[in-house]
Amino acid sequence: MTLALNSDTRDLHHRLLCLDAAAPLITPQRLPKRLKEMQNGGIDAVLATVASIEDCQFAVERLGRWLVLERSQQVPFRLARTVAGIREAKQEKQLAVILHFQGTSPLESGLHLLDVYYTLGVRVIQLTYNMRNLSGDGCLESANTGLSRFGRQVIRRMVELGVVIDLAHSGIRTSLEAIEEAGGPVIVSHANARALCDSPRNLTDEQIRAVAASGGVIGLCAFPAFVSLQAKPTLDLLLQHAEYLSELVGPEHVGLGFDFAEEDEDDYEYYGYDERFYPRPPWVWPTNIRGFTEVPNLTAGLVARGFTEPQIAGILGKNFLRVFQSIWEA
């Protein structure tokens, strides 16, 4: 597919609100260096990974760094706790950062810590990170035993507080049970269709339909091994996932969760990645979507594939905002 990134398409991209629901690259230390490329790519809001498999001490220390950076006013960003805050940040040309856990390990065994993290600004929490934790089984657990009793308690308290439930990295049974327990919209911040790329990190049609039936949204993920099993994936292959999800459940249930990362061998060992599903770094990102600056190419691709402007606006960010509004401001 030939990209038609002309001035009209670029203007469209920068006019619409663009939210990346999986941004592990964005930390308090890295944000100042990454801000320019996000601005060039028209990124207005990100879910920034605070912690995943780490403990409470790590999470609180990282949250403290975010709060100090915001208070310093040295970087044009704001910690967003409401949809209004996200929209205001775009109007003021600031980056909106939504604090995100990629796993419930920072809770340790303390349900009460959910209240602490909520008070500190965390608004989206993923249940598991690939493997089993106290909340349930991740997507790489062959047992697929689903939610634990603690996991059900976590979900109920998240619903009460108004924290978005994220099912990325969760096992099939865990995710389906979590949707039933939540009784309302959930998200999958970053994953693709397993029918197109047979990785356990991607979603079966059953999971996709269940997320959509909840009113939720799935973020297209650019991580190469989840786009295609080919050695050199492309933006075109990622757009095929956008089309597949849209045809299966409707474009109103599709968003963005790029998951751009720069991990080395030490990180690979730290997170315990499985070589069957995660190639060893360095990772080769899909052609034409290799980082934040190339995100406008995705908008051009959606235009070329016949998506309408309202549908593109939804995929770029409005669909996630719809879910956040319903949960944060219920």
Side-chain angles (χ1 to χ4, degrees):
M1 181 188 71
T2 301
L3 290 172
L5 188 56
N6 53 37
S7 59
D8 289 344
T9 304
R10 183 172 289 279
D11 288 346
L12 171 67
H13 177 80
H14 283 271
R15 174 164 51 84
L16 299 175
L17 188 146
C18 183
L19 185 151
D20 179 3
L25 273 178
I26 305 308
T27 65
Q29 296 90 335
R30 290 172 171 170
L31 176 59
K33 297 179 181 179
R34 293 285 179 181
L35 192 57
K36 187 63 175 177
E37 62 188 274
M38 286 191 287
Q39 291 170 336
N40 290 339
I43 305 296
D44 301 301
V46 295
L47 267 62
T49 303
V50 174
S52 55
I53 63 174
E54 293 83 9
D55 61 10
C56 175
Q57 181 176 345
F58 178 97
V60 171
E61 192 274 340
R62 179 66 63 82
L63 289 168
R65 287 182 179 270
W66 273 118
L67 294 169
V68 168
L69 184 62
E70 182 184 45
R71 188 172 66 245
S72 75
Q73 298 185 341
Q74 294 177 350
V75 181
F77 90 102
R78 68 165 65 186
L79 295 177
R81 298 167 177 83
T82 64
V83 169
I86 296 172
R87 295 191 185 280
E88 288 167 7
K90 179 173 177 61
Q91 291 173 356
E92 297 172 9
K93 298 185 180 343
Q94 293 181 325
L95 178 73
V97 172
I98 300 105
L99 298 175
H100 177 212
F101 284 176
Q102 285 206 46
T104 51
S105 292
L107 297 178
E108 299 184 7
S109 60
L111 189 66
H112 61 284
L113 289 177
L114 274 171
D115 292 68
V116 175
Y117 294 135
Y118 181 84
T119 301
L120 293 174
V122 177
R123 289 296 180 269
V124 184
I125 296 180
Q126 190 174 289
L127 293 181
T128 64
Y129 191 84
N130 287 337
M131 307 308 291
R132 179 179 296 135
N133 64 16
L134 289 180
S135 294
D137 273 6
C139 62
L140 301 189
E141 289 287 353
S142 58
N144 190 33
T145 55
L147 281 176
S148 67
R149 179 174 176 271
F150 180 70
R152 293 181 183 277
Q153 293 174 330
V154 166
I155 288 172
R156 288 195 292 269
R157 186 58 187 147
M158 286 173 67
V159 170
E160 290 170 353
L161 286 169
V163 177
V164 177
I165 297 163
D166 179 4
L167 300 178
H169 291 266
S170 292
I172 294 174
R173 184 172 169 185
T174 297
S175 62
L176 296 175
E177 290 179 352
I179 291 168
E180 183 178 2
E181 188 71 41
V186 301
I187 70 167
V188 179
S189 58
H190 55 303
N192 296 322
R194 195 161 179 175
L196 299 186
C197 180
D198 190 13
S199 165
R201 262 290 284 114
N202 286 334
L203 304 177
T204 66
D205 285 1
E206 182 184 19
Q207 289 171 290
I208 293 166
R209 289 191 177 100
V211 171
S214 81
V217 176
I218 297 160
L220 297 168
C221 183
F223 186 79
F226 309 151
V227 174
S228 172
L229 300 182
Q230 297 180 17
K232 295 183 178 180
T234 63
L235 172 60
D236 191 49
L237 292 173
L238 180 60
L239 288 165
Q240 289 180 19
H241 287 277
E243 286 190 315
Y244 185 87
L245 294 172
S246 297
E247 290 169 3
L248 186 64
V249 294
E252 65 272 22
H253 299 292
V254 182
L256 306 176
F258 293 117
D259 202 24
F260 295 131
E262 290 181 351
E263 295 182 8
D264 57 22
E265 285 288 342
D266 289 340
D267 297 316
Y268 193 91
E269 297 301 328
Y270 175 78
Y271 290 108
Y273 293 131
D274 188 323
E275 287 192 55
R276 292 174 298 171
F277 312 116
Y278 287 82
R280 286 193 170 271
W283 294 322
V284 179
W285 294 88
T287 305
N288 291 320
I289 191 74
R290 291 166 292 189
F292 293 119
T293 59
E294 294 193 329
V295 170
N297 291 336
L298 182 136
T299 298
L302 293 172
V303 171
R305 287 173 177 264
F307 285 83
T308 66
E309 182 173 330
Q311 289 171 340
I312 294 170
I315 292 170
L316 290 189
K318 289 183 73 174
N319 292 338
F320 271 124
L321 294 192
R322 181 189 70 241
V323 175
F324 296 168
Q325 181 101 33
S326 70
I327 294 171
W328 294 345
E329 300 170 31

